[in-house]
Amino acid sequence: MRHLNLPSSKRNTRQWRLFDLVSAAFFGAVLLFFLFVFTPFGDSVAASRRQALVLATDETRQRQKLVALIEAGQQQTIGICPAEAVDHMPCEDPRRNSQLSREMNFYRERQCHLPEETPLCLIPPPAGYRIPVQWPESLHKLVLKTVHSNMPHNKIADRKGHRAGGTMCPDGAIQYIEKIGQHIPISGGVLRTALDMGCGVANFGGYLLKEDILTLSFAPRDSHKAQIQFALERRIPVLILGTRRLPFPVHSFDLMHCSRCLIPFTTFNRTYFIELDRLLRPGGYFVVFGPPVQWPKQEKEWADLQALAQTLCYELIFVDGNTVIWKKPSADSCVLVQNEFGHEFCDDSDDPSYGCPAVRNVMDMNAFFGGFAAALVSDPVWVMNIVPPRESSALGLIYDRGLIGVSHDWCEPFSTYSRTYDFIHASHIDSLIRHSGSCKNRCDLVDLMVEMDLMLRPNGTVVRDSPRVIDKVAHIACAVRWTTTIHEPEPESKGREKILVATKTFWTLPSYSH
């Protein structure tokens, strides 16, 4: 059979067409990569499973009627949210966030819907949910099957579950901490509180706990999606925070740590470094591991960071490889009347027996001066102290006691993943939603207790004591499917208070049960 010999021009045309198709496919893949990683479109698509729970207008009346019936003491049961809401996080709406500015990562900030705009339903656990591994095994030994079942975005467990030191510490966090301890007093009780910025899966903070350094780790919800949830499953103190001013009082931490946190300390008129300086106690330490410290192609950023630290009289303690340690001056001798960055100086008032191993992550919703957390200091738990904004001055005292906490208005949702606390203490819960100096409420107690249900793990426990609203709380507890027990008050209260202990029951969606 004779072969058909095409003219060379036609053969080249066919080859070029094939080359064009391959090139177009390659460049299209590159374009999609940049869209997904570096644009709001990517964040929106990547979070497509996390749809905001928003009510249609015609459903708001039914919601209001249900709230009124529950508050009136009538026997009602709050329904279950759809199965796709298992990883719902309050104030995270991908569709809304994708439309916001990316300047200073503003699109990663909280965007809360009003209570009346959201369905009144209970967030279900994912299929196969299990009670997390207990402390301290959860720090050293992760049962990945359990983590996979508990986290809808479980690729983070595959990528980082085996890393004892995180992305930047291939030899392990323990060796990294020992290296730092050669230059700063890690042991001995000199350092009590630390802040780990852009913490990843919070290995650094987790391993500092054995040194009796209470480390609060934080990160925004970024492209990794579930890093903070992963850390909370490991029972390490962590928070989801964005990029605005951090909700901690001045001079809260003895140690500030950044391991490849990618915070641009020297840009935006040094705003981020100034915020770090506000939170670091005099004589405290600032540790950076990773870029820009002697990092390729970041020579200018590294030089600017050194110059900024020197301008603020930070003492260079150690620099080796990609690690640098500075010490903040103990006195205000470096403060100038006119600083060169044009920042105004802040006003002094400008500050924003439970040893059961099943209990590790504890929240005190109305912490006052941290007395509940202080009473638990010898137990293997950590307590997130929450202080209402009107009492924010108490937060400084909490940090002075070597404890951790944050200011938060409970008429807005608290930024955390579903099922992240074992135990919630709520003293005088009605005061958290009431107008100051008035008997009228700013928001509904039903909504607050539904949010508490979201934060609690199955079998988690709520303690509530109040002289007036204990019966009302008990009715709502039944509506959110908690089991309740009312205990008689201590003799010292002279009968003015009762204690309600409510436990969240372990239930699943009907389709999961088989």
Side-chain angles (χ1 to χ4, degrees), residues 74-271:
Q74 296 193 22
Q75 188 173 359
Q76 298 287 328
T77 301
I78 296 177
I80 302 173
C81 299
E84 56 268 22
V86 295
D87 59 339
H88 170 69
M89 186 192 302
C91 303
E92 290 283 341
D93 185 346
R95 294 167 297 184
R96 180 185 293 186
N97 290 18
S98 64
Q99 305 301 316
L100 301 177
S101 170
R102 297 181 68 84
E103 181 74 7
M104 298 182 73
N105 286 323
F106 179 72
Y107 73 105
R108 288 179 177 166
E109 296 298 337
R110 289 161 47 92
Q111 301 294 326
C112 301
H113 293 280
L114 295 174
E116 56 267 24
E117 296 175 344
T118 58
L120 190 66
C121 58
L122 307 180
I123 302 297
Y129 180 86
R130 301 181 181 183
I131 300 301
V133 180
Q134 295 182 358
W135 182 266
E137 288 77 13
S138 60
L139 177 62
H140 308 287
K141 176 184 176 183
L142 282 176
V143 181
L144 292 182
K145 186 176 181 180
T146 299
V147 175
H148 273 281
S149 300
N150 291 3
M151 295 168 50
H153 298 288
N154 51 36
K155 288 185 179 180
I156 194 73
D158 289 334
R159 296 176 182 174
K160 298 193 176 184
H162 63 286
R163 294 175 177 169
T167 306
M168 290 296 293
C169 303
D171 296 328
I174 294 177
Q175 289 81 356
Y176 173 57
I177 291 171
E178 288 176 349
K179 177 182 178 181
I180 295 175
Q182 297 174 9
H183 306 279
I184 63 177
I186 292 292
S187 302
V190 176
L191 306 180
R192 301 181 303 165
T193 55
L195 183 67
D196 189 13
M197 303 169 282
C199 62
V201 295
N203 283 304
F204 179 76
Y207 283 97
L208 273 183
L209 291 172
K210 74 180 186 68
E211 304 291 348
D212 290 328
I213 299 176
L214 187 54
T215 303
L216 179 55
S217 306
F218 80 88
R221 184 183 178 275
D222 57 13
S223 58
H224 293 293
K225 300 186 180 58
Q227 290 192 114
I228 297 301
Q229 187 179 16
F230 185 84
L232 284 165
E233 287 294 311
R234 299 174 68 195
R235 301 174 178 270
I236 298 173
V238 285
L239 272 177
I240 302 168
L241 292 176
T243 56
R244 297 177 182 174
R245 195 181 192 200
L246 298 177
F248 311 114
V250 64
H251 298 166
S252 293
F253 300 98
D254 301 306
L255 172 65
M256 307 279 283
H257 177 257
C258 161
S259 175
R260 203 174 186 178
C261 64
L262 304 180
I263 295 176
F265 290 107
T266 60
T267 59
F268 305 110
N269 198 22
R270 291 85 173 175
T271 297

Side-chain angles (χ1 to χ4, degrees), residues 110 386-389 407-414 432 442-443:
R110 289 161 47 92
I386 311 297
V387 175
S407 179
H408 177 70
D409 183 353
W410 283 112
C411 281
E412 288 187 0
F414 187 80
L432 298 175
R442 300 179 295 122
C443 52

Side-chain angles (χ1 to χ4, degrees), residues 475-488:
H475 284 302
I476 300 175
C478 293
V480 294
R481 307 173 188 230
W482 297 346
T483 59
T484 61
T485 305
I486 297 178
H487 296 267
E488 291 303 316

Side-chain angles (χ1 to χ4, degrees), residues 2-6 11:
R2 295 179 59 188
H3 293 283
L4 181 63
N5 293 322
L6 296 175
R11 291 198 304 270

